[in-house]
Amino acid sequence: MSLFIIVNVGATLSLLAPSPLELPAPLGAAVSGYGAALVAHPLATKGATALALSVSGDAVTQVASREPERGDSEARGEWFDARRNLGFGAFGGAYGLVQGALFDVLNESPAVAAAAAALQQEAAVPDRLGAALVKTATMQFVAVPALYFPLFFAVVAAVRGYPPSEAVEYARAQIRPLLLRCCQVL
């Protein structure tokens, strides 16, 4: 998901920049086309972007590591697990839609505006940066634990064919270190 973060940071910086960023012609055209798609069909574009980044990110990871996840393709002697890749795509697309809708809510939230105004007044943080900080904190400390992790573990369990008891056991074993990582951004 690091590419997804880079794209989002780039988009945020372009919002903060006093003038549009100048990009080489082919990249500029691609960014303009993507921007037009975001305006015309925001949720569909965000969901498709998340799906594409999830599928490509997992494919690169599998090819680079050539170490399949526990029992998925290893038992079949394959180095690329298409089922796992499909699972990452399903998860990425679904969560991309959820996250896109949640950001739409946050963009219109009076609470976000009030928190950004408080940051501007108390810490001299520019208004748009304050809003971005508030939205990022909301996603990192609320949405990820409450939405992202449950959806992720449900998709992993379904893709791997875990029975419910094994799915819960797997999630319990993974959740504490993941929640701690969420807090390590500080």
Side-chain angles (χ1 to χ4, degrees):
M1 280 294 163
S2 60
L3 180 59
F4 187 67
I5 292 168
I6 291 167
V7 168
N8 283 320
V9 168
T12 301
L13 290 175
S14 69
L15 291 174
L16 298 174
S19 61
L21 298 174
E22 292 193 31
L23 300 170
L27 184 57
V31 169
S32 294
Y34 184 77
L38 278 171
V39 170
H41 307 286
L43 281 180
T45 303
K46 292 170 189 175
T49 300
L51 184 146
L53 290 172
S54 297
V55 167
S56 60
D58 179 61
V60 168
T61 299
Q62 284 193 54
V63 170
S65 68
R66 297 209 179 208
E67 293 180 18
E69 288 290 318
R70 178 188 141 284
D72 291 343
S73 62
E74 187 174 17
R76 296 187 306 268
E78 299 171 5
W79 60 269
F80 185 82
D81 188 346
R83 184 175 173 192
R84 170 186 141 158
N85 192 257
L86 178 64
F88 270 96
F91 166 74
Y95 189 71
L97 291 172
V98 169
Q99 185 177 20
L102 184 54
F103 267 112
D104 288 344
V105 170
L106 292 175
N107 287 338
E108 301 299 322
S109 170
V112 169
L119 282 171
Q120 183 178 22
Q121 182 177 353
E122 300 297 325
V125 173
D127 187 47
R128 292 179 104 175
L129 179 58
L133 290 171
V134 171
K135 292 174 198 175
T136 300
T138 301
M139 296 304 292
Q140 187 73 13
F141 302 116
V142 178
V144 168
L147 301 171
Y148 180 95
F149 288 148
L151 180 60
F152 175 77
F153 287 122
V155 169
V156 167
V159 167
R160 293 183 179 176
Y162 289 170
S165 62
E166 193 173 339
V168 169
E169 182 182 316
Y170 174 74
R172 282 188 181 150
Q174 301 292 319
I175 194 68
R176 181 178 165 84
L178 291 173
L179 288 171
L180 290 174
R181 281 188 193 162
C182 282
C183 297
Q184 288 177 344
V185 297
L186 300 175

